[in-house]
Amino acid sequence: MTHTDLRARSAAPRRRNPEATKERLVTSALELFTTLGYHASTTPQIAAKAGVAEGTIYRHFSGKSHMFNEIYRGALRIYAKPLDEGKTITNCKQKLEVLAERWFDLTRRNRHLAYLVFVMPVEKLLDDESRNIRIEFHALLISIMASGKSDGVVRSGSAEVWADVWLQLVALAVNKLASGVWTGDKGYLTQVVDAAWQAVSVNSSR
């Protein structure tokens, strides 16, 4: 290869990888949103953390709010997937146990996603699409409680109430795991899952 060839290669423009750039922006924004908070995180900070110019953000998102909502919807879909996959399990208690364990595994892989879905106060930041997906997410959990009521293993009353009770207890464990307060010891997690079931079940021995 000649010096001319080398100069030609070095002068050639680098190929952009828009998807990789967007992924870096999403990762950087997620970490900042869940550590500094939404309002304290700025687009210059996000761009700098991702190693791109601030203007690059606007090739992928219309602004910070759009970016936040896309990230939130993606995170919620990740945590909703086990809800949908668990439809093949008919035993309500087992279904909830598997669901909690899947959520704990997801939390171990990415604590920022877990914090965004279960801990961070996001209600005032959500657009209509994100709110609808959040409603769908909740509806899947309510349907599990409703099936448990039909089978006589979940307490009488509103399936929505029991879904909220179970979710709040499991979210507590997710928060502890995401924050590093609870690490590899699964004993704590098991206790929370058992307590969550006892809170909603007709008979905790079932």
Side-chain angles (χ1 to χ4, degrees):
M1 183 179 290
T2 67
H3 291 295
T4 303
D5 294 330
L6 288 172
R7 283 197 299 271
R9 287 186 63 183
S10 62
R14 293 180 180 177
R15 291 184 178 180
R16 292 178 179 173
N17 187 336
E19 287 305 314
T21 300
K22 184 176 182 179
E23 185 61 32
R24 290 204 308 275
L25 284 168
V26 166
T27 299
S28 300
L30 173 63
E31 291 183 12
L32 289 172
F33 288 151
T34 55
T35 53
L36 300 181
Y38 174 81
H39 296 292
S41 302
T42 65
T43 50
Q45 288 174 316
I46 294 168
K49 189 172 180 62
V52 300
E54 184 183 1
T56 304
I57 290 174
Y58 301 98
R59 294 177 188 158
H60 302 278
F61 308 98
S62 62
K64 189 171 78 167
S65 177
H66 178 210
M67 178 187 292
F68 177 86
N69 276 278
E70 274 212 14
I71 293 170
Y72 179 80
R73 288 192 290 269
L76 205 55
R77 288 187 181 106
I78 288 171
Y79 275 90
K81 191 174 181 181
L83 276 164
D84 192 54
E85 292 173 343
K87 289 178 180 177
T88 57
I89 303 173
T90 56
N91 181 283
C92 183
K93 182 174 184 289
Q94 183 184 0
K95 184 177 292 190
L96 291 171
E97 288 173 346
V98 170
L99 175 60
E101 187 53 46
R102 291 288 299 278
W103 282 354
F104 296 153
D105 286 340
L106 288 169
T107 302
R108 293 183 189 98
R109 292 180 211 167
N110 192 325
R111 64 186 182 86
H112 298 289
L113 279 181
Y115 188 87
L116 179 63
V117 172
F118 293 101
V119 183
M120 187 173 174
V122 299
E123 186 58 42
K124 293 181 180 180
L125 304 174
L126 302 183
D127 59 21
D128 288 342
E129 185 179 353
S130 294
R131 288 191 186 93
N132 288 336
I133 291 177
R134 192 179 191 184
I135 290 170
E136 291 170 7
F137 175 88
H138 198 203
L140 287 170
L141 187 55
I142 292 171
S143 69
I144 294 176
M145 291 299 171
S147 68
K149 279 183 60 182
S150 296
D151 293 339
V153 296
V154 169
R155 295 173 186 265
S156 61
S158 170
E160 183 175 359
V161 169
W162 300 131
D164 281 339
V165 169
W166 186 89
L167 183 59
Q168 287 300 314
L169 287 169
V170 173
L172 169 68
V174 169
N175 185 16
K176 295 284 189 180
L177 196 59
S179 63
V181 175
W182 292 350
T183 54
D185 183 5
K186 290 187 177 181
Y188 293 132
L189 302 177
T190 301
Q191 287 178 45
V192 171
V193 174
D194 287 345
W197 175 248
Q198 290 173 21
V200 303
S201 66
V202 172
N203 184 341
S204 61
S205 66
R206 292 190 182 187

